[in-house]
Amino acid sequence: MTWAWMNSSQHRETAEGDGWLARVPPSQAALVLGAGLYGTQPTPMLARRLDIAADLYRSGKVRALLLSGDNSREEYDEPTAMRDYLRGKGVPDTVMVLDYAGFDTWDSCVRARKVFGARQVTVVTQEFHLPRAVTLCRTAGLETFGVGDDSVRRWAVTTYYLATRELFATAKAFADAMVLNSDPIFPGPREVSLTEILDQPGAPGA
């Protein structure tokens, strides 16, 4: 936990109150990490992540949204549900890229760089998960800032439970990133969809 907190301490912001958007530096893309579905709909925590990502896009802080989640079985498709939710918020399909093999945070970070060619991201998650997410993305070679939802304000019991799990998840993350240098479960092939969006002139955040 110390490793994650120290490595991310200057690179994260909570999406609460007035002025938080102004404190977020611009970057190429928002990397939105999956957080589960109820049927085909995002869970409340995932919906909140997507709302934050939409705010980042509309404010010109990011030029694209990389939606990274689990589609390891046919009936469970986080990235498509994330895209459909954002469509309903008015975010155009032309700025959204889907990563169907973001099976955990480390995989999402590594694939953002190695598969999708990102160099600079704003990772979006809940505040309790933010130190690990930012640190893993930075360890994977991405210039990373993180924005987190202060979920304890809305879902205190669930947040405390998941925050406790972070102790074990961060231990695994340290092993993956610093000891084993693990490859993603599905490492490729290379995708050009994100770089094509970023190469377009006049996009928000350009």
Side-chain angles (χ1 to χ4, degrees):
M1 293 295 288
T2 301
W3 164 73
W5 277 81
M6 293 295 290
N7 279 281
S8 66
S9 62
Q10 303 300 312
H11 308 283
R12 57 181 193 256
E13 178 64 42
T14 302
E16 292 289 343
D18 296 332
W20 71 267
L21 272 168
R23 295 189 292 272
V24 178
S27 67
Q28 291 179 322
L31 172 60
V32 189
L33 304 175
L37 301 177
Y38 288 153
T40 60
Q41 300 300 312
T43 62
M45 283 194 176
L46 180 52
R48 179 62 183 138
R49 297 181 189 189
L50 296 166
D51 290 340
I52 292 169
D55 288 341
L56 291 168
Y57 172 72
R58 293 191 193 100
S59 67
K61 291 292 184 174
V62 300
R63 299 170 59 191
L65 305 180
L66 178 54
L67 312 177
S68 184
D70 186 348
N71 182 212
S72 57
R73 57 191 191 276
E74 185 176 353
E75 69 277 9
Y76 188 85
D77 186 350
E78 281 187 313
T80 297
M82 294 160 77
R83 180 201 62 197
D84 292 348
Y85 180 92
L86 286 166
R87 273 181 180 167
K89 297 290 182 177
V91 177
D93 284 14
T94 53
V95 302
M96 292 190 281
V97 176
L98 278 59
D99 176 9
Y100 295 97
F103 300 131
D104 62 18
T105 305
W106 176 242
D107 281 18
S108 294
C109 294
V110 173
R111 284 176 54 83
R113 184 175 68 85
K114 292 187 175 181
V115 175
F116 293 93
R119 301 186 312 276
Q120 184 186 59
V121 300
T122 299
V123 64
V124 182
T125 183
Q126 265 67 44
E127 192 175 35
F128 64 83
H129 179 218
L130 203 56
R132 176 163 62 96
V134 171
T135 296
L136 285 177
C137 282
R138 291 176 64 81
T139 303
L142 293 162
E143 182 182 339
T144 307
F145 195 86
V147 178
D149 164 48
D150 184 10
S151 56
V152 74
R153 293 170 178 263
R154 300 171 180 83
W155 311 289
V157 173
T158 302
T159 297
Y160 292 137
Y161 168 71
L162 293 173
T164 300
R165 289 182 57 195
E166 278 296 298
L167 291 168
F168 305 99
T170 303
K172 178 184 181 298
F174 183 85
D176 282 339
M178 303 300 293
V179 179
L180 302 174
N181 192 25
S182 301
D183 287 327
I185 294 172
F186 188 73
R190 185 67 180 263
E191 297 268 357
V192 299
S193 47
L194 179 63
T195 54
E196 287 177 347
I197 294 170
L198 297 176
D199 286 343
Q200 295 174 5

